[in-house]
Amino acid sequence: MQFRKAISEIKGLQYLAEELDLQSPMGKRFLLDSEMLYNETELNIEYDLIDKVIQSIESDPKLIADIQSKLSHLRDIKGTVGNLDANLILDDIELFEIKSFAFHCHAILNLQKDLKQEVIGLPNLSGLVDVLDPQKSGIPSFYIYDDYSEELAEARKNLRIAKSENGDSEAKLEELFDKAQEIESRVREELCDKIRVFAGDLRTALNQLAHFDLLIAKAKQAIQLCFNRPELLKESTIYNGMFHPMIKDELLKQKKQYQAIDIELQKSVCLITGANMAGKTVVLKTLALCQYLCQFGFFVPASQAKVSLVNRIMLSVGDDQSELNGLSSFASEMMNVNQMVEVSQSHENVLVLVDELARTTNPVEGLAIVNAVADIFYQNNTRSVITTHYSGLNPYFRKLRVKGLDKDFGDQRITKNNINSYMDYSLVEDNTGEVPHEALRIASLLGINKEIVEKAQNQLNMKASKNKLEVINYK
Amino acid sequence: MPFLKDIEKYKSLSIVGLEKNTGKTECLNYVLSRLRGSRKQIALTSIGIDGENRDQVTQTHKPEIELNEGMIFVTSETHYAKRRLFSEVIDVSNQTTSLGRLVTAKTIHSGKVMLSGPANNAEIIRLIADLKEKGVDLTIVDGALSRKSLGSPAVTEAMILATGAALSANIPQLVFKTQYVYDLIQMAEINPELKPKFRGIENGIWALDESGEVKETGISSVLMIKKEKDKLFQFGTDFFVSGAVTDQFLDFLKNQKQVNQIRLIIRDFTRVFAKPETYYAFVKKGGRIQVLDKTNLVAITINPVSPDGYRLNSDELKLALETKLQVPVFDVKRIENAVS
């Protein structure tokens, strides 16, 4: 999967991509074209590079800023290099682009020498610089210099003399100009032949500089947002202090704290229960985000991360536009889940994340569907997380519960504006199979119409006393 | 020539022809030839590309400009490829025009080049700033007055107007038409503090209420004035019009009882597309028009010869214009002869 496609699916990823401090147009292209990686060695090479850049930023921030400034002057000359490769004659503008690119590349090469350790290998383009800067001016501007050909110099000199004398006719001047221009074309052709050998190096440099740009951006983001290098494991995926950067940022703007959480996923199904507003959906979205980041060679938003690589990430959070494809929300969810189940049955190595499975149908059948789907994942050892509000889950499933509103509130009144600070978002292992019943409490905290809450509470009380009676009668 | 002294004070200058063949190119070439001895770094560009097309239609000579050695110029890739001189590429822009990217180059030898440039005001302003950064002392913009163009030469600090027999073969008529443009250029600039309030507005009629707040009138264009006239005066009598000011609109305003309180604010003088009679009638009734960008008219040049060969008396025309307008007037044909 290409990064380009992944950002269209995962909002959090798009957010991070937009926040990246990329300097060059090809840095951006490089990122969008980059493929998801499934191989530990390849990923570790990328993480090593980010580590190197982070160390460089910490020891010499100015040098990295200088490199970034040089990168910002780069133009994407992919097309020009293509023309060079295709044996075309380049015009002065294209030659200018190549010269200016070679200058900047050379400057970055030299800057990198001052770093404690080389981050990225760059081809030495000084041969190309020598050819395109025959006057050793050190300025990236370009024309077909007189230095390339004595004949050209002579022709231009004649033209200049003729012009200054002012005696010659317009036609004569035109003739002299045409002659000089003809020689110039010939010289340009020779020049292009001469620099054609550098096409491969230019291509490499383009790619390496784009990668360098991206590495610096990744490293700076990792430092800024407190991301850490994931350790790649075969079996479990374990995050300590995992957070969602976009939501953390949003809370920060409102001067609120984000509570990072710990979670461990084995190669099996895991059900997450918890009250409303307890951040279950955020857990799923963060898990998806972390997995993508990890496999696109980014550090991840967690204080410590051990990640097991997967071939595919399948996420169903039920906020896709089901109206558009003519299906009801239930139908569209089922189609989605069906795919997940088929992948699970074929034992593919995937990460499956389902938010509130079967929430749009009646709780009796809904529960049955949850148990059925979870069972398939359980039997096929599919790494999967399902959030649910249903009680009565099969006892052998692993269950995690969000702690929820069990902090000490003191005398504080809880409202929808401060509920976030009283909610304990951490996950605990839970084997009861019962789900918390806090919907009414949360609804009343949100300040919804009292009549709804009271009537619902009465209904529950009546039902409870009836059940009690039945139990007593039965006895 | 005296007006050249004045030019050196400015960072940017536009040369604008009131009609094709009023000698704009001669005027430009003259200015350049005069600047040959100057130690200042001169850059040259143009607004848009329409100049070339028009001249291809009338089959008069192409507006190629003769550049001196060492001068910087900005033109599109297409025109750069057709240049008749040797030059060094200094920069290539990231934005593209319909004729490709803009190339900034410095001439190695004198010679001819066709100019094209950015098509809207923001980009012209940015280009002038960028050239200044590159060490340019004076940027000369080959300007066009066109209803279609989004770019206006009025963004430059100074302006030279080229007029002549091509505009009218009758001296009083020619003077009248030139004076009209002169009067428009002299329209007052609004208070600089107010300018930012209007800069970003792209369409519609907006009002400035008593508290200094800009309010949308809900009238989408001056063309809609007949249909939505009831909305016009809801916030007072100060209006900003982003687009063209037409005969119909000025006529409408002229007939309102509040006409002597009306203040119309427009981008620059090139946004007035009304007949002189309509404009003067509006002003006579007490209406005012003010601009965001005002330029300084430093000189008027005349070309007494029309494209069909008709020749006006140069001295008579010069005298007539100078008596009417407080600006030096020069005959481009004569100064050209004087140069060579």
Side-chain angles (χ1 to χ4, degrees), chain A residues 75 97 141-142 163 174, chain B residues 69 84 88-89 92 101 110:
Chain A
R75 283 159 202 273
E97 285 181 319
S141 60
F142 179 80
K163 281 208 170 185
E174 288 286 296
Chain B
E69 191 179 321
R84 303 288 289 169
E88 179 167 20
V89 181
V92 184
R101 295 174 297 175
S110 61

Side-chain angles (χ1 to χ4, degrees), chain A residues 140-158:
Chain A
S141 60
F142 179 80
Y143 75 109
I144 304 291
Y145 296 94
D146 286 355
D147 312 59
Y148 289 132
S149 145
E150 277 177 26
E151 199 189 351
L152 177 62
E154 186 66 29
R156 281 179 178 159
K157 197 172 139 199
N158 290 340

Side-chain angles (χ1 to χ4, degrees), chain B residues 67-233:
Chain B
L67 296 186
N68 305 334
E69 191 179 321
M71 214 170 247
I72 287 177
F73 64 97
V74 179
T75 193
S76 63
E77 277 179 286
T78 312
H79 284 161
Y80 190 76
K82 291 183 187 158
R83 71 200 185 279
R84 303 288 289 169
L85 48 71
F86 294 105
S87 55
E88 179 167 20
V89 181
I90 297 175
D91 203 0
V92 184
S93 75
N94 287 321
Q95 321 97 305
T96 52
T97 69
S98 54
L99 291 178
R101 295 174 297 175
L102 292 179
V103 181
T104 305
K106 190 170 190 169
T107 58
I108 302 293
H109 285 198
S110 61
K112 284 183 176 148
V113 71
M114 258 189 276
L115 293 175
S116 39
N120 69 54
N121 279 354
E123 277 173 43
I124 300 164
I125 293 170
R126 199 183 314 139
L127 179 64
I128 291 173
D130 179 51
L131 288 168
K132 205 170 151 188
E133 195 113 302
K134 290 192 165 83
V136 171
D137 299 303
L138 171 66
T139 300
I140 301 177
V141 178
D142 180 5
L145 292 183
S146 158
R147 186 191 279 258
K148 281 171 280 176
S149 169
L150 291 167
S152 161
V155 299
T156 56
E157 291 174 358
M159 181 180 281
I160 297 175
L161 211 54
T163 185
L167 187 63
S168 169
N170 167 313
I171 289 183
Q173 192 62 28
L174 175 55
V175 172
F176 177 71
K177 284 187 174 175
T178 308
Q179 174 163 19
Y180 176 46
V181 178
Y182 173 85
D183 286 341
L184 293 180
I185 294 175
Q186 302 304 327
M187 287 188 298
E189 207 172 16
I190 61 161
N191 183 342
E193 285 165 27
L194 287 174
K195 288 183 186 179
K197 297 189 189 219
F198 302 115
R199 284 270 180 228
I201 299 177
E202 305 237 317
N203 49 44
I205 300 178
W206 298 66
L208 185 71
D209 71 6
E210 280 176 6
S211 63
E213 213 172 307
V214 178
K215 295 266 174 74
E216 192 168 7
T217 59
I219 307 170
S220 54
S221 136
V222 296
L223 302 172
M224 303 299 288
I225 191 66
K226 282 266 158 68
K227 275 187 182 164
E228 304 184 282
K229 54 189 172 195
D230 54 312
K231 293 184 189 164
L232 189 62
F233 293 107

